[in-house]
């Protein structure tokens, strides 16, 4: 069972030039899992909070494609906060980690690469249920 210490910020391969930068992540290269789904959060009102769940199996990479926001990760025992504001970095979230997302800057884009397609049955949306599940593990 993973802890918040297993969730790390990865430096993504980036090609910089005077006319702008390109950041690349490819399956079978530096990706820690095969990417099956991409989604992004945008038009998040300033002050809004998202997240409030964990996943049983899903692995995710989170990129601040634009602007900034804060992920608070929680493994049931310890919490760790990650301020993301660099499009060439990705926060790698392991399975079984509760997350809250807040402090979205205006116009920010939260890009998520996921190891599985969307499956509501993979979510744990109740914190007490999450805590009990982690204790049993
Ligand atoms: P959720 O993952 O709870 O959002 P967040 O963690 O950003 O607060 O998803 C919000 C809603 O969108 C929920 O009803 C499920 C739906 N959803 C999909 O249908 N497909 C998806 O790929 C995602 C990520 C969410």
């Amino acid at each position: 069972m993973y802890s918040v210490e297993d969730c790390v910020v990865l430096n993504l391969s980036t090609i910089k030039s005077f006319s702008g930068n390109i950041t690349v992540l490819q399956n079978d290269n530096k990706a820690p899992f095969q990417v099956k789904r991409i989604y992004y959060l945008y038009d998040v009102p300033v002050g809004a909070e998202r997240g409030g769940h964990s996943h049983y199996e899903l692995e995710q990479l989170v990129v601040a494609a634009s602007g900034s926001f804060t992920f608070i990760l929680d493994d049931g025992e310890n919490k760790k906060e990650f301020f993301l504001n660099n499009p060439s970095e990705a926060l790698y979230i392991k399975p079984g980690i509760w997350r809250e997302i807040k402090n979205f800057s205006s116009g920010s884009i939260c890009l998520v690469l996921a190891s599985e397609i969307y499956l509501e049955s993979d979510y744990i949306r109740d914190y007490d249920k999450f805590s009990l599940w982690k204790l049993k593990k």
Side-chain angles (χ1 to χ4, degrees), residues 37 39 41 50-51 53 118 123 125:
R37 175 169 52 121
Y39 63 91
L41 305 176
R50 302 197 57 112
H53 58 79
Y118 172 73
Y123 279 77
R125 295 190 182 274

Side-chain angles (χ1 to χ4, degrees), residues 24-80:
V24 190
L25 189 67
Q26 301 189 95
N27 283 337
D28 299 325
N29 189 356
K30 283 207 175 156
F33 52 79
Q34 296 283 303
V35 177
K36 286 200 187 157
R37 175 169 52 121
I38 296 171
Y39 63 91
Y40 39 100
L41 305 176
Y42 59 99
D43 284 352
V44 180
V46 169
E49 299 193 1
R50 302 197 57 112
H53 58 79
S54 172
H55 289 278
Y56 290 107
E57 302 284 348
L58 192 72
E59 296 176 68
Q60 291 162 302
L61 284 167
V62 180
V63 179
S66 186
S68 61
F69 41 80
T70 301
F71 265 69
I72 297 125
L73 302 186
D74 179 347
D75 57 22
E77 206 171 323
N78 293 301
K79 289 187 185 189
K80 202 165 170 183

